Amino acid sequence: ACSVKMNVDGAAAMSSNMSAVGVVCRSAAGLFLGASAVVFQGVTEPTTLEAYACREALALAKDLVMNKVRIASDCLRVINDLKNPGHLGEYCMIVQEINDKKRNFQSCELIHEHRANNGEAHRLARMATTLESDRHVWLIDPPDHLCIPLNFDT
């Protein structure tokens, strides 16, 4: 059983060279525990962004002192590459880093979920493309203007 679920997504801005990944973490009961975003300049390839989002989920889990996590992504290719790192492609170093960092957790499950279940992480990633290049973390309250409820009945 996992103690937290982390929804992840990546987004590239249409009008600039900026992109971002977003992670929203909730308890098994649906309580908001934290969120983070990393903003990049010049990284626009969708699967690479999704791999970065999975890596950021592990960083946020560490910040929240969680050691049982489930990471949910809407990118089946990245999830498959993380589970079976045979042909690693253009983001092979990120996949290797994620698989190394997974060992620091009691359990770390990577799952594919339909895009409809990833709305919060998607909105966070889109909003973050307007922020400065950096890592941004929200540990008590969700980011403003994103309509992320503190309690989400699952």
Side-chain angles (χ1 to χ4, degrees), residues 35-99:
S36 63
V38 179
V39 183
F40 302 96
Q41 187 166 354
V43 179
T44 56
E45 204 281 310
T47 51
T48 300
L49 284 171
E50 204 74 21
Y52 275 129
C54 292
R55 184 182 73 177
E56 177 55 26
L58 294 176
L60 180 60
K62 186 177 177 188
D63 290 344
L64 294 169
V65 194
M66 299 292 163
N67 61 359
K68 291 183 181 179
V69 299
R70 174 180 288 152
I71 299 170
S73 166
D74 62 7
C75 183
L76 184 59
R77 179 178 168 202
V78 169
I79 295 300
N80 286 338
D81 285 346
L82 286 165
K83 289 181 179 181
N84 306 302
H87 77 289
L88 293 178
E90 61 277 357
Y91 53 92
C92 63
M93 297 307 290
I94 307 165
V95 169
Q96 185 174 351
E97 184 180 351
I98 292 166
N99 283 323

Side-chain angles (χ1 to χ4, degrees), residues 3-149:
S3 60
V4 298
K5 182 176 178 193
M6 320 209 53
N7 285 91
V8 304
D9 205 8
M14 299 301 224
S15 59
S16 69
N17 203 18
M18 303 300 282
S19 60
V21 299
V23 180
V24 176
C25 179
R26 291 193 175 278
S27 71
L31 293 175
F32 175 84
L33 298 176
S36 63
V38 179
V39 183
F40 302 96
Q41 187 166 354
V43 179
T44 56
E45 204 281 310
T47 51
T48 300
L49 284 171
E50 204 74 21
Y52 275 129
C54 292
R55 184 182 73 177
E56 177 55 26
L58 294 176
L60 180 60
K62 186 177 177 188
D63 290 344
L64 294 169
V65 194
M66 299 292 163
N67 61 359
K68 291 183 181 179
V69 299
R70 174 180 288 152
I71 299 170
S73 166
D74 62 7
C75 183
L76 184 59
R77 179 178 168 202
V78 169
I79 295 300
N80 286 338
D81 285 346
L82 286 165
K83 289 181 179 181
N84 306 302
H87 77 289
L88 293 178
E90 61 277 357
Y91 53 92
C92 63
M93 297 307 290
I94 307 165
V95 169
Q96 185 174 351
E97 184 180 351
I98 292 166
N99 283 323
D100 287 345
K101 289 179 184 283
K102 279 175 33 182
R103 296 185 188 105
N104 296 326
F105 295 87
Q106 187 176 343
S107 91
C108 180
E109 183 183 9
L110 294 143
I111 63 169
H112 174 257
E113 280 193 347
H114 191 273
R115 180 172 208 133
N117 297 331
N118 231 15
E120 291 180 334
H122 180 71
R123 286 191 308 274
L124 176 57
R126 295 233 35 96
M127 179 278 292
T129 64
T130 67
L131 302 175
E132 64 186 55
S133 294
D134 205 348
R135 181 173 188 244
H136 306 268
V137 180
W138 299 267
L139 296 178
I140 297 171
D141 294 316
D144 291 336
H145 314 300
L146 283 185
C147 300
I148 296 177

